[in-house]
Amino acid sequence: MRKFLLGILLLTLAVVAFSSSRVTITMTAGAVGKELEVLYAQLDVFMRQNPNIKVSVMPMPNSSTERHDLYVTYLASGEKEPTVLMLDVIWPAEFAPYLEDLTADKDYFELNKFLPGTVKAATVNGRIVAIPWFTDAGLLYYRKDLLEKYGFKNPPKTWDELVKMAKTITAKEKNMVGFVWQGARYEGLVCDFMEYLVSFGGDVLDDQGNVIINSPAAVKALQFMVDLIYTHKVSPQAVTTYMEEEARRAFQNGQAVFMRNWPYAWSLLNDPKESKVAGKVGVAPLPAGPAGKSAATLGGWMLGINKNATPEEKEAAKKLIKFLTSYEQQLYKAINAGQNPTMMDVYKDPALKKAAPFMVELYGMFINAVPRPRTAKYSEISDVIQKYVHAALTRQTTPQKAIEDMAKELNKILGK
Ligand code: GLC
């Protein structure tokens, strides 16, 4: 009897010890291209290595704007979930008050090995609030086979050249449009707009944070976007409803000569099971505007921890982030989901060069991508830009008036 009781006691202790060390954390995740599938595979490995940690995924809408609005609801309510948040590069300043300070953990995460620009984006008032996961920059995808067929040796170096090539090719090729991009009213539109704006010689704010959007360059840039649809007719009107995935699908089905998109599209475009254009696609920097320069918007995502999580959950979250941002996992993600590493050495890995040569070849462009305004009021700024650019693209206002109104509202938001 005594032995039996002792047995029960030991068993109870073991159960208590096991269950108290087992922790469940939640993580938000996107599903653009292959990223969710790749994440599930990574989490399987992590949970096998860490049997006491269970990670449950909260899939999020693909639109960065919609995700932002959900986060505002979660974080403002003081909930301890989600534990780990996938954060767009433009959000740290706004969400910093809700995120765990990771400054003391910078050696644990080996941040000295990361691209300095990505670490800077995760730093708010000297505090590190997230760990860079992958970085993004706008790219021009083009149909190598069609450019060759029509005698164009190189991808377009200027926007005007792009228009000419697109017109020549679509005049002959049936059921094709020239150029697809992200023209829906959401964050992606701001990214696309910034690329025209900067390549035409304009900008939103100067280094002191003054609004400088009201310039002839900005009006011309927006006019050019409008002209792509209605004057040159190289982009279908439907681009005003396109986000990344709509553009990718059109291009992947062989319906477009050129596409502006992020690196993730590469692995899908070249997957013969998914794509009609596998092996026929080239990648180049976006064309230059009249200012003589080409501009790619800096994008990317990081991982932060909810400040309201319990100490055990925070520890587990750190382990998970350390795993997901490790060399091996960044390489795996880059090869399989086509998302650019944030750790510098991964770019030297021969396996990356083989799977996504452009990531290595265009390294200089990735690290020089143009950031969107860095301010805690970014969401309000973005909302105004989206509203007026979209109004011009759908011809509810003229580019001139759109830029003037945008400048007025931006000044109001920034208290100028
Ligand atoms: C990509 C970028 C992100 C950007 C978003 C816009 O996910 O990485 O920074 O805000 O696209 O759609």
Side-chain angles (χ1 to χ4, degrees):
M1 182 66 179
R2 217 192 259 165
K3 257 196 194 156
F4 177 70
L5 283 179
L6 191 68
I8 298 262
L9 183 70
L10 284 178
L11 191 68
T12 317
L13 283 178
V15 168
V16 168
F18 181 73
S19 56
S20 65
S21 63
R22 196 167 158 79
V23 50
T24 299
I25 56 175
T26 48
M27 170 184 183
T28 60
V32 173
K34 286 193 182 159
E35 70 178 336
L36 194 57
E37 190 185 316
V38 165
L39 178 65
Y40 278 124
Q42 292 177 303
L43 292 180
D44 276 351
V45 176
F46 176 76
M47 289 192 276
R48 246 182 283 131
Q49 288 174 2
N50 295 274
N52 287 334
I53 303 175
K54 180 170 187 283
V55 187
S56 117
V57 172
M58 287 171 77
M60 292 281 115
N62 280 344
S63 153
S64 169
T65 305
E66 281 177 38
R67 262 191 239 185
H68 168 271
D69 297 349
L70 276 175
Y71 282 16
V72 170
T73 322
Y74 295 140
L75 295 172
S77 67
E79 289 283 327
K80 70 184 184 90
E81 283 183 7
T83 331
V84 176
L85 297 132
M86 183 178 167
L87 300 159
D88 198 338
V89 73
I90 47 193
W91 300 338
E94 178 184 355
F95 290 139
Y98 305 99
L99 299 171
E100 181 73 359
D101 184 346
L102 300 173
T103 318
D105 303 297
K106 64 176 192 304
D107 294 338
Y108 173 67
F109 290 112
E110 299 182 284
L111 286 182
N112 58 329
K113 295 186 176 166
F114 283 62
L115 292 166
T118 64
V119 179
K120 188 171 163 215
T123 309
V124 181
N125 298 327
R127 290 192 305 123
I128 293 163
V129 297
I131 307 301
W133 194 17
F134 63 91
T135 188
D136 260 342
L139 295 169
L140 182 72
Y141 289 87
Y142 61 95
R143 286 286 299 277
K144 261 189 326 201
D145 57 328
L146 292 179
L147 261 60
E148 225 167 77
K149 181 171 168 191
Y150 291 91
F152 300 115
K153 286 205 183 68
N154 294 303
K157 292 245 162 12
T158 63
W159 290 116
D160 288 344
E161 262 178 47
L162 178 142
V163 170
K164 267 188 222 131
M165 290 185 190
K167 280 188 179 166
T168 311
I169 296 172
T170 53
K172 298 268 166 57
E173 296 288 324
K174 289 208 180 71
N175 302 325
M176 279 200 94
V177 297
F179 184 33
V180 290
W181 38 281
Q182 295 75 41
R185 185 174 163 181
Y186 81 117
E187 184 57 39
L189 179 58
V190 180
C191 298
D192 285 39
F193 171 64
M194 289 285 300
E195 288 161 353
Y196 295 96
L197 178 65
V198 175
S199 72
F200 273 69
D203 212 334
V204 181
L205 305 180
D206 66 11
D207 292 343
Q208 284 73 46
N210 298 308
V211 177
I212 52 164
I213 187 78
N214 195 358
S215 65
V219 176
K220 283 190 193 136
L222 185 52
Q223 183 69 56
F224 180 74
M225 292 175 84
V226 173
D227 288 348
L228 283 173
I229 306 173
Y230 304 99
T231 308
H232 307 310
K233 296 190 167 48
V234 296
S235 297
Q237 273 191 42
V239 290
T240 60
T241 64
Y242 280 10
M243 296 198 290
E244 285 79 3
E245 289 290 74
E246 287 79 15
R248 182 193 40 106
R249 280 190 204 105
F251 189 82
Q252 190 169 295
N253 286 334
Q255 293 158 354
V257 183
F258 296 106
M259 167 174 74
R260 183 270 176 212
N261 216 325
W262 307 102
Y264 86 93
W266 174 256
S267 52
L268 294 146
L269 297 177
N270 284 307
D271 177 352
K273 278 190 263 103
E274 289 251 356
S275 162
K276 292 195 180 147
V277 297
K280 297 179 179 166
V281 181
V283 185
L286 287 163
K293 58 178 171 182
S294 141
T297 297
L298 175 70
W301 292 78
M302 20 191 141
L303 296 169
I305 302 175
N306 187 339
K307 221 179 180 171
N308 284 319
T310 66
E312 292 75 32
E313 289 161 352
K314 285 180 188 169
E315 274 317 299
K318 282 184 193 173
K319 273 195 189 153
L320 173 62
I321 295 177
K322 168 88 181 161
F323 169 84
L324 289 173
T325 58
S326 65
Y327 183 105
E328 294 72 29
Q329 295 307 318
Q330 290 210 18
L331 181 63
Y332 178 80
K333 189 172 175 64
I335 292 174
N336 294 288
Q339 289 170 322
N340 275 51
T342 48
M343 214 181 241
M344 291 181 278
D345 279 353
V346 184
Y347 287 90
K348 297 189 195 131
D349 201 298
L352 182 70
K353 177 135 197 195
K354 188 155 172 262
F358 74 90
M359 283 194 195
V360 178
E361 284 152 17
L362 302 182
Y363 180 74
M365 194 214 77
F366 284 109
I367 57 174
N368 288 314
V370 180
R372 284 159 276 173
R374 278 171 57 87
T375 142
K377 294 193 170 157
Y378 179 75
S379 300
E380 288 170 71
I381 293 182
S382 167
D383 197 42
V384 169
I385 299 177
Q386 291 171 33
K387 179 169 75 180
Y388 288 109
V389 172
H390 199 258
L393 293 183
T394 48
R395 299 222 257 191
Q396 295 167 56
T397 184
T398 61
Q400 174 85 42
K401 180 94 172 48
I403 296 290
E404 279 165 16
D405 290 346
M406 195 189 289
K408 274 188 214 137
E409 282 195 36
L410 293 182
N411 274 315
K412 234 187 267 161
I413 292 172
L414 295 168
K416 308 258 173 174

